[in-house]
Amino acid sequence: IMKPTSLIRDPVSDVNRLLGLGPSELYVVSVTKFVVLYLLTGGGYIVYWSYRNWATYKERVGADIFPLVRAVLWPFFILELFDKIQNGLDLAGRPCRWHPEPRALLIMLMVMISTLFAMFFDDPQDAGVVFIANAVLITVSVFLFVGAQRAINLLANDRLGGSNCNFNVGNVFWALAGAVSVALLALYVLVYTG
């Protein structure tokens, strides 16, 4: 089925489509909400965040991508996502010094370090070391993601993320589930590695 086309073409929309991003093609969320959900889910929120960014991008731009795959495998697509954000900022004429490439590479490095810790410290008594290392990596990486979220919000002309700053029932559920999971994991580490 062919989509009807307009006789009058919008050159800005065409350029946006070619570059892959317009002013609001990504997931706006307030930094406070992002940080709370990211930390309380032990970093797990990033899968949902990635999914929402790629799903919104696909819906608005018409890209032939699979957002769920990009969400599950988010470390492999973070550099491309950050590139899309920067392209959109450049196109919109909204300067933002957030250094997307080094930021994405540092995030990827932290994921690799976390994976290496889990591989090399696989004895049950090493669980404490892995838990502490991952807690530090999650805490440090939240600052890298906050810079990206600020850039997304700026791109959407919603600098504070006011259009998505309230916690809904789903947010509260996932925050509580994540916090309970992290607490149970910490309890396990304390009890069994003492």
Side-chain angles (χ1 to χ4, degrees):
I1 298 174
M2 295 182 66
K3 294 181 182 176
T5 59
S6 170
L7 295 176
I8 301 171
R9 302 205 41 105
D10 179 2
V12 173
S13 294
D14 289 344
V15 171
N16 284 351
R17 218 167 272 106
L18 288 173
L19 289 176
L21 199 58
S24 61
E25 261 80 23
L26 294 171
Y27 182 56
V28 173
V29 63
S30 74
V31 169
T32 301
K33 183 176 177 179
F34 178 90
V35 169
V36 167
L37 291 172
Y38 184 80
L39 292 177
L40 287 180
T41 59
Y45 176 69
I46 211 63
V47 174
Y48 175 76
W49 179 83
S50 294
Y51 173 78
R52 286 298 306 265
N53 275 305
W54 287 115
T56 305
Y57 175 77
K58 177 180 181 168
E59 175 188 320
R60 299 212 175 130
V61 175
D64 188 22
I65 60 171
F66 297 101
L68 185 59
V69 171
R70 288 178 179 235
V72 172
L73 301 174
W74 68 265
F76 297 104
F77 295 100
I78 198 72
L79 188 58
E80 182 182 354
L81 178 62
F82 287 8
D83 188 48
K84 301 268 186 230
I85 298 165
Q86 187 59 52
N87 285 343
L89 288 167
D90 292 343
L91 183 65
R94 295 191 178 122
C96 181
R97 293 182 50 177
W98 67 291
H99 311 288
E101 287 181 5
R103 186 177 298 270
L105 293 173
L106 282 170
I107 290 169
M108 293 167 66
L109 177 65
M110 288 190 199
V111 170
M112 286 188 278
I113 290 170
S114 174
T115 303
L116 290 172
F117 262 97
M119 286 174 48
F120 290 116
F121 295 96
D122 60 350
D123 264 3
Q125 71 257 15
D126 294 336
V129 172
V130 173
F131 182 82
I132 291 169
N134 280 328
V136 169
L137 290 170
I138 287 168
T139 304
V140 170
S141 67
V142 77
F143 293 105
L144 297 170
F145 281 112
V146 162
Q149 188 59 55
R150 284 187 174 134
I152 290 170
N153 293 350
L154 175 64
L155 178 62
N157 206 23
D158 187 359
R159 188 178 291 271
L160 299 177
S163 63
N164 186 9
C165 63
N166 297 322
F167 290 85
N168 61 34
V169 174
N171 297 148
V172 172
F173 171 79
W174 285 111
L176 289 174
V180 167
S181 298
V182 170
L184 289 174
L185 185 59
L187 182 63
Y188 168 81
V189 168
L190 286 172
V191 170
Y192 290 104
T193 63

